[in-house]
Amino acid sequence: MRIGSGFDVHAFGAGDHVMLGGVRVAHGQGVVAHSDGDVVIHALCDALLGALALGDIGRHFPPSDPQWKNADSRQFLRHCMLLVQQHGWALGNADITVICERPKIGPHAEAIRACLAGDLAATVAQVSVKATTTERLGFTGRGEGIAAHAVVLLVRA
Ligand code: MG
């Protein structure tokens, strides 16, 4: 087995929605990002790359590269999953925690799980999506941004 962890943050900015795990979630703000700023997928990609000891998302998809401007982060996730498969591994399970005061994640968690499971060649039961606030403390508590943690376990395919 191989374990990996990932973490990502984006600041809130102008906009009317945030992308979370490939799902468009209506919100009074968007996020500041080169890509679509999907913190769930970015943390998950870093967890997959970490489990493979293949560096991080910035190495594979440099923000300086214009081809990733406004990119759909699901293409990052599918590429990371291809690397997982090429190295002879499959997803055992993934556990993701989204950290923010708003938007509320609960109503979207099932849609996010389904979307991620498809890109991870896994079942919904292998993908956990949960959320917490930081009790109004810190940058997430002040509503300045959104963060996500991800942990994955890979098993031999
Ligand atoms: Mg990011």
Side-chain angles (χ1 to χ4, degrees):
M1 295 181 287
R2 303 276 299 194
I3 194 167
S5 75
F7 179 65
D8 192 44
V9 170
H10 281 279
F12 285 129
D16 62 2
H17 71 280
V18 292
M19 294 303 296
L20 293 173
V23 173
R24 184 187 174 102
V25 175
H27 185 52
Q29 293 175 293
V31 294
V32 180
H34 187 72
S35 67
D36 64 7
D38 191 322
V39 288
V40 168
I41 289 184
H42 295 178
L44 189 51
C45 286
D46 262 354
L48 293 169
L49 293 171
L52 297 171
L54 285 178
D56 57 39
I57 192 170
R59 177 170 133 197
H60 291 263
F61 311 101
S64 55
D65 188 334
Q67 76 169 298
W68 306 125
K69 187 164 172 57
N70 300 320
D72 177 352
S73 292
R74 290 182 69 183
Q75 64 184 291
F76 301 162
L77 182 57
R78 293 190 197 111
H79 178 79
C80 290
M81 201 55 214
L82 186 64
L83 291 174
V84 167
Q85 291 165 338
Q86 285 173 345
H87 285 77
W89 300 98
L91 185 78
N93 72 298
D95 185 21
I96 295 152
T97 304
V98 183
I99 305 154
C100 61
E101 299 292 324
R102 280 192 231 162
K104 291 292 173 206
I105 305 304
H108 307 283
E110 292 310 306
I112 294 170
R113 292 175 72 199
C115 182
L116 295 176
D119 288 342
L120 291 166
T123 64
V124 170
Q126 289 169 275
V127 182
S128 161
V129 173
K130 57 198 198 297
T132 188
T133 70
T134 49
E135 299 292 343
R136 300 190 180 177
L137 297 170
F139 71 89
T140 52
R142 292 188 297 270
E144 295 169 2
I146 186 166
H149 276 289
V151 176
V152 301
L153 190 72
L154 302 184
V155 295
R156 274 293 172 202

